[in-house]
Amino acid sequence: MTDQDNDHLARRFEDHRPHLRAVAYRMLGSLSEADDAVQEAWLRLSRSDAGAVDNLGGWLTTVVGRVCLDMLRSRTARREEPMDGPARLPDPVISSADGVDPEQEALLADSVGLALLVVLEALAPAERLAFVLHDMFAVPFDEIAPVVGRTPAAARQLASRARRRVQGAAPTPDTDRVRQREVVDAFLSAARGGDFEALMAVLDPDVVARGDSGALRPLSVVRGAEAVAAGAMTFARAAEAARPALVNGTAGVVAMGADGRPFSVLAFTIAQGRIVGLDILTDPERLARLDLTVLER
């Protein structure tokens, strides 16, 4: 391949990068691992006979899917993921409260909220791949089948099983961001004021709060409005300031400590005007890697 051919191929690959990163993020729930998977796809493309590829976008999508599947299976082999659910929260994507950055639009298309990613984390690797590629990116089952080493019919069954689990576990959130922000602001006001009744008014009775403090601590899960309300008032006393943000495209909060550094990221899932899910990332190492410059624009 000449330098000119290589440059042309690199430009074509860059055209597909946002889509490929979106696929990998849904598969892995990790922004850094998604970038690694996309880079691996480029390496495989550069070593292949690209001229023989009729549909470059489709070819790259299945390659990224295969790379991600290997990474998920490696996690399972190292027992990083418990059998009954995810070991950690997925990486949040932070945007200004005024709107999603254009560079993030492909990454967050289809409203891939943190709550949905948590459910995807609990799927078996092959189920996750079949669901993500088919239901989110419309990849045909006859193209998914070779990736998972199954027949197209078996790949269809994998996606169907995953779909049932997703529909049963992931609530359908309110999409009105103005209403979302009103509910989040009411939650913060009640928490800061120690108003237990006002907190109970914005929390669904069956609300689930998940907290990720880092690799040395298991993912904590708190269920029920009373328990979550009590924790919310403790949080409000610990955080000096809470900056409004969009977390994976929905109303959320980045809480800042007295030193001006992020203390936690809160992602809310709101359905029928009440908070049904609250995902809280307090892992210092992962918070330090977040790009929060978007909140200063």
Side-chain angles (χ1 to χ4, degrees), residues 12-22 35 38-39 42:
R12 292 180 66 196
F13 180 83
E14 288 303 315
D15 289 340
H16 293 285
R17 182 182 291 274
H19 165 79
L20 299 176
R21 192 166 184 250
D35 287 336
V38 172
Q39 181 62 23
W42 161 247

Side-chain angles (χ1 to χ4, degrees), residues 28 30 51 55 123 163 170 239 263:
L28 301 168
S30 165
N55 179 358
L123 298 176
R163 192 179 308 118
F263 173 82

Side-chain angles (χ1 to χ4, degrees), residues 10-186:
R11 287 194 297 272
R12 292 180 66 196
F13 180 83
E14 288 303 315
D15 289 340
H16 293 285
R17 182 182 291 274
H19 165 79
L20 299 176
R21 192 166 184 250
V23 172
Y25 177 56
R26 286 157 179 74
M27 283 292 300
L28 301 168
S30 165
L31 294 169
S32 60
E33 289 183 356
D35 287 336
D36 289 344
V38 172
Q39 181 62 23
E40 176 62 23
W42 161 247
L43 293 175
R44 295 189 185 189
L45 176 64
S46 63
R47 295 194 297 260
S48 69
D49 181 9
V53 177
D54 293 330
N55 179 358
L56 183 61
W59 187 89
L60 286 169
T61 297
T62 56
V63 167
V64 165
R66 184 174 286 108
V67 171
C68 291
L69 183 61
D70 290 342
M71 294 171 76
L72 289 176
R73 286 172 171 165
S74 178
R75 283 185 195 173
T76 302
R78 295 195 305 267
R79 296 186 177 180
E80 293 181 6
E81 302 290 353
M83 295 300 293
D84 57 348
R88 67 172 196 169
L89 291 178
D91 286 346
V93 179
I94 310 299
S95 308
S96 166
D98 296 330
V100 176
D101 189 289
E103 294 182 2
Q104 299 173 338
E105 287 182 356
L107 193 63
L108 296 176
D110 305 320
S111 300
V112 59
L114 221 58
L116 173 59
L117 286 174
V118 168
V119 178
L120 295 182
E121 291 281 322
L123 298 176
E127 289 178 345
R128 187 169 184 170
L129 180 134
F131 177 81
V132 168
L133 291 190
H134 181 268
D135 285 43
M136 294 185 168
F137 296 99
V139 177
F141 287 117
D142 59 356
E143 295 180 19
I144 296 172
V147 180
V148 294
R150 311 282 182 92
T151 65
R156 182 186 298 274
Q157 290 179 342
L158 286 173
S160 178
R161 187 159 60 240
R163 192 179 308 118
R164 287 194 299 270
R165 293 186 64 183
V166 169
Q167 291 172 346
T172 301
D174 296 344
T175 57
D176 184 340
R177 285 182 182 165
V178 173
R179 180 57 182 148
Q180 290 174 8
R181 181 55 58 189
E182 290 173 351
V183 173
V184 171
D185 288 347

